[in-house]
Each structure stands twice: as structure tokens, then as C-alpha cells.
Amino acid sequence: MKAILTTIGKDQVGIIAGVSQFLAKKEINILDVSQTIMDGYFTMMMMVEIQESQTDFTDLAQKLADLGKTLGVEIKIRREEIYHAMHQL
């Protein structure tokens, strides 16, 4: 399953490392990434691939939110199907 992961917050050292290390430990592959800093705020969007059989999506979303609190940013993950559905309305 593909999902979109967003990370937003005040720029600081270690955000990319923290998120990518978490994903690597969960064996979640990063397919694409875009990141920028706007007026001191870090923004990153990732397309990731998750093995559904190995991951409880709700639990993953909560763990990413918790990681975001630790890193001082907001991290959200949504299934790719949600974006497809929104653009078909």
C-alpha cells in the first residue's frame, strides 16, 4: 500500500534523520520525497510504500504522531486512496 506522509514544523537539525530512521526500522520504503524550508518552517512530503501484512496503519499513524512530538513537528500519514478519492469528486 502507498501512503502520503507529511511533516511540518519549525526548522531544526535532525528532522529528516528522525523520520527516515523510523521508517527504515519499520521497513517502510520511501518512494519519493519533497522538502523545503519556508520562512523558518520545515515542510516535507513523502510517498511511502508499506507492507500491509506487517503494519497496523492506525498504530503506525499514532507512532508517527508521537515521533513528531519528540521531534517538535507535526507528522501525519494518509493512505494514497484518500487523495485519489478527493480528486475524483
Side-chain angles (χ1 to χ4, degrees):
M1 155 188 44
K2 290 182 182 174
I4 308 295
L5 184 146
T6 57
T7 304
I8 301 171
K10 189 120 173 98
D11 186 35
Q12 60 186 332
V13 173
I15 298 171
I16 295 172
V19 174
S20 59
Q21 287 174 3
F22 174 89
L23 295 174
K25 287 178 186 173
K26 298 286 185 186
E27 297 184 10
I28 295 173
N29 191 32
I30 299 169
L31 300 174
D32 199 358
V33 62
S34 173
Q35 61 99 36
T36 191
I37 299 170
M38 299 181 339
D39 197 27
Y41 287 91
F42 175 84
T43 63
M44 178 170 65
M45 180 177 278
M46 292 179 162
M47 169 78 71
V48 297
E49 187 164 31
I50 303 166
Q51 300 301 319
E52 284 187 75
S53 60
Q54 298 174 350
T55 305
D56 176 317
F57 194 82
T58 303
D59 183 55
L60 175 63
Q62 184 59 57
K63 286 182 179 171
L64 283 164
D66 293 343
L67 173 63
K69 290 177 185 172
T70 300
L71 296 174
V73 295
E74 180 181 274
I75 302 175
K76 295 195 181 275
I77 190 166
R78 294 170 185 89
R79 297 175 189 269
E80 181 187 36
E81 299 91 46
I82 291 174
Y83 287 94
H84 284 292
M86 287 182 351
H87 290 89
Q88 291 179 355
L89 295 176

